[in-house]
Amino acid sequence: MNRSPSPHLRWLLWFTALGFLVALLIYPISYGVTRAAVVALAFVVWFGLLAIVWCRWKLRYLLLGMTVLAAGFLALPTRSGSTDLRLREAYLSALLRYNGVRYIWGGENRRGIDCSGLIRQGLIDAMFVSGIRTFNAGLVREAMGLWWNDCSARALGEQHRGLTVPISETPSVNALDHSTILPGDLAVTKSGIHIMAYLGENRWIEADPEAGEVIVLTAPSTHGWFDSPMKIVRWSVLR
């Protein structure tokens, strides 16, 4: 005779899945397979909880309602005209929240981050928060898409998937006329191995492998990257 798992076993399995999900979320380095695992585990945790509490009608309808509301929100069309200076300001604030975070190659969160991870994660944070705050599902979907589709500094410099648009080229950041760019613009080395973001007032933020952390520097600077030939690009969403 087949018997369903006991409540104790179901909770044990649920907490195990939740533990794996949390571990993947806090681990700084992610790959395509780990991002897929995060999505799968998120579904297991959410719908597993729904299955466990199904007999408790109040919790059941609460979770079902939250599921419908979340799905309905994500299905809403993008709100035109809502991407403005506030998103740019949110991006700059998000970048600065990573100041001092240790450098880890391939890292993408506050436990460790690299140069392209900083540039991408700052925008992911800004779009997600701004999308929720302004009720713009399009921004939330773009944040999710940017999280799902990893890309390197070189790819951003080459307008991968139309994520960025070219602005100019310069022999170095030190030689750049900063009046020609906007806060949030990106400087990518022509070699494609490093990327920095402009904060305004001649200040740049980068996850620097030599410093071993995220730092903010002011141009002109004797820092090595500031004398490298650069491509200046801008996030398409910040045009």
Side-chain angles (χ1 to χ4, degrees):
M1 180 182 295
N2 292 326
R3 294 189 301 174
S4 61
S6 66
H8 176 77
L9 179 58
R10 282 183 287 178
W11 278 113
L12 178 61
L13 292 173
W14 185 83
F15 277 110
T16 300
L18 178 63
F20 277 115
L21 176 60
V22 171
L24 286 175
L25 288 174
I26 65 175
Y27 188 68
I29 302 173
S30 69
Y31 305 96
V33 65
T34 58
R35 286 188 287 273
V38 165
V39 173
L41 284 170
F43 273 89
V44 169
V45 167
W46 184 258
F47 290 103
L49 180 61
L50 182 59
I52 291 173
V53 303
W54 189 260
C55 294
R56 302 177 185 180
W57 67 270
K58 289 184 178 179
L59 288 176
R60 178 176 69 202
Y61 288 120
L62 174 63
L63 293 176
L64 283 173
M66 293 171 65
T67 303
V68 171
L69 286 174
F73 170 71
L74 289 174
L76 290 174
T78 300
R79 292 180 58 189
S80 61
S82 59
T83 301
D84 53 18
L85 287 176
R86 286 180 295 179
L87 180 58
R88 186 182 300 277
E89 292 168 358
Y91 179 46
L92 301 179
S93 297
L95 289 171
L96 284 169
R97 282 195 288 272
Y98 289 91
N99 192 22
V101 171
R102 64 175 176 163
Y103 179 94
I104 292 181
W105 186 84
E108 296 182 343
N109 64 32
R110 292 190 58 82
R111 295 180 62 85
I113 203 160
D114 68 5
C115 66
S116 60
L118 169 67
I119 301 307
R120 289 176 54 254
Q121 196 59 47
L123 188 60
I124 291 169
D125 294 349
M127 288 195 298
F128 186 83
V129 172
S130 296
I132 297 296
R133 179 175 53 81
T134 62
F135 210 66
N136 186 348
L139 281 180
V140 176
R141 290 193 297 269
E142 286 192 57
M144 295 168 66
L146 189 56
W147 172 78
W148 179 259
N149 296 286
D150 195 5
C151 57
S152 65
R154 181 187 299 276
L156 290 174
E158 296 174 351
Q159 297 83 59
H160 174 66
R161 296 175 52 240
L163 291 172
T164 58
V165 293
I167 301 298
S168 64
E169 295 189 7
T170 179
S172 71
V173 171
N174 285 334
L176 177 65
D177 179 359
H178 285 71
S179 67
T180 63
I181 63 173
L182 295 174
D185 286 352
L186 313 174
V188 187
T189 58
K190 284 194 174 181
S191 63
I193 64 173
H194 192 65
I195 187 169
M196 309 187 295
Y198 183 51
L199 297 174
E201 299 179 343
N202 287 34
R203 296 180 306 141
W204 293 81
I205 188 168
E206 59 175 325
D208 184 66
E210 293 183 6
E213 62 181 1
V214 177
I215 56 176
V216 175
L217 296 171
T218 301
S221 171
T222 58
H223 191 66
W225 300 114
F226 280 66
D227 283 322
S228 301
M230 293 281 188
K231 297 178 182 179
I232 306 299
V233 298
R234 180 173 299 158
W235 285 111
S236 298
V237 74
L238 297 180
R239 282 190 294 181

